[in-house]
Amino acid sequence: MRRERVNALKLKVANIAADIGQAEARQIAPIRREGWADPAYFAASGAQAIGQMIPAVGLTAVTRNPAIGAAAMTGQAVGTEYQERRTDQPGRPAMAPEQAREVAMVIGALEGLPEALPLGVFFKAGGGFLRKTLKSGVTEGVEEMISQSLQLGYQAGILDERMPLKDAILQVAEAGIIGTVAGAGIGAG
C-alpha cells in the first residue's frame, strides 16, 4: 500500500516536472550564433541546456531513479517538438495536429529516453571533482550525439526531410559540444 502511494507520488512529480519543462522550453528564446565555432554560442547553449535539464536532474536527485528524470526530459522534448512542428518553419510548413503529435512522440522519445544514462552518471557516487566533471561532460556529449543522429535518421528516412551530409555532421557535432558543456556543468555542480 505504501509503495503504491510512493509510486503514484513519483508519477505525479514526473508529470508536474514535464509540464514545467515544457513551459520553460517554450519561453527560452533561441540563441543566434554568429559562427559555428563561436565559443560564446556554445557556452550560452550549454547554459540553456542545463536550464532545460533542471526538472529531470531534480527528479533524478529526489527519486534516485534516472528513468524518472528521463521521462521528464521526454515530456519536455515532446512538447517542444510538437510546438515546432505546428509552426511554419523555413522550407517546412506547419503540420496538422495529429501528424505533429506523432512526430513529436517519436522525436521526444529519441531525445528524452537516452538521457537516463547521463542522469545516472551525474548521481553516481565516487570520483573526484575533475573526474566526475569530465565523465559527466563526455557521457552527456556522447548521448547527445547519438540522440541527434537517431533524430536526423528518423527525419531523413521516415519524414523525408533531407539535408546535405555536411550539415548533418555539423548538427551532430554541435549537439555533442553543447551536451559536453551542459554535462560538465551539471557534473561540476
Side-chain angles (χ1 to χ4, degrees):
M1 178 84 159
R2 177 168 155 51
R3 185 180 193 123
E4 290 171 355
R5 283 190 281 175
V6 168
N7 286 337
L9 179 61
K10 286 180 182 179
L11 182 59
K12 282 183 182 180
V13 170
N15 287 334
I16 290 168
D19 290 344
I20 291 169
Q22 288 174 12
E24 185 266 346
R26 284 190 299 269
Q27 293 174 359
I28 293 177
I31 299 171
R32 301 279 183 223
R33 60 184 171 173
E34 297 298 320
W36 193 85
D38 182 8
Y41 166 73
F42 289 114
S45 295
Q48 181 182 25
I50 290 171
Q52 292 171 338
M53 293 177 72
I54 287 173
V57 171
L59 281 169
T60 301
V62 168
T63 65
R64 293 290 183 204
N65 185 347
I68 299 291
M73 287 294 293
T74 300
Q76 280 180 259
V78 168
T80 301
E81 189 67 25
Y82 180 81
Q83 179 186 6
E84 288 179 14
R85 294 295 173 160
R86 291 288 296 138
T87 306
D88 284 329
Q89 304 287 331
R92 186 184 76 205
M95 291 181 168
E98 301 79 26
Q99 186 182 13
R101 189 174 21 258
E102 181 181 307
V103 170
M105 294 295 284
V106 172
I107 296 291
L110 293 174
E111 174 64 33
L113 295 178
E115 287 291 340
L117 179 63
L119 286 169
V121 170
F122 297 155
F123 294 98
K124 192 171 189 175
F129 172 79
L130 183 60
R131 182 171 186 203
K132 185 164 184 134
T133 300
L134 291 174
K135 189 172 183 179
S136 295
V138 168
T139 304
E140 177 67 15
V142 169
E143 180 276 324
E144 287 296 332
M145 291 175 73
I146 291 168
S147 178
Q148 187 66 35
S149 297
L150 292 170
Q151 290 174 52
L152 290 172
Y154 172 74
Q155 290 167 340
I158 304 299
L159 301 178
D160 202 29
E161 294 175 357
R162 310 263 178 202
M163 73 171 55
L165 180 60
K166 175 185 163 200
D167 292 347
I169 290 170
L170 288 175
Q171 277 193 20
V172 171
E174 181 177 311
I177 293 168
I178 294 168
T180 299
V181 170
I186 292 171

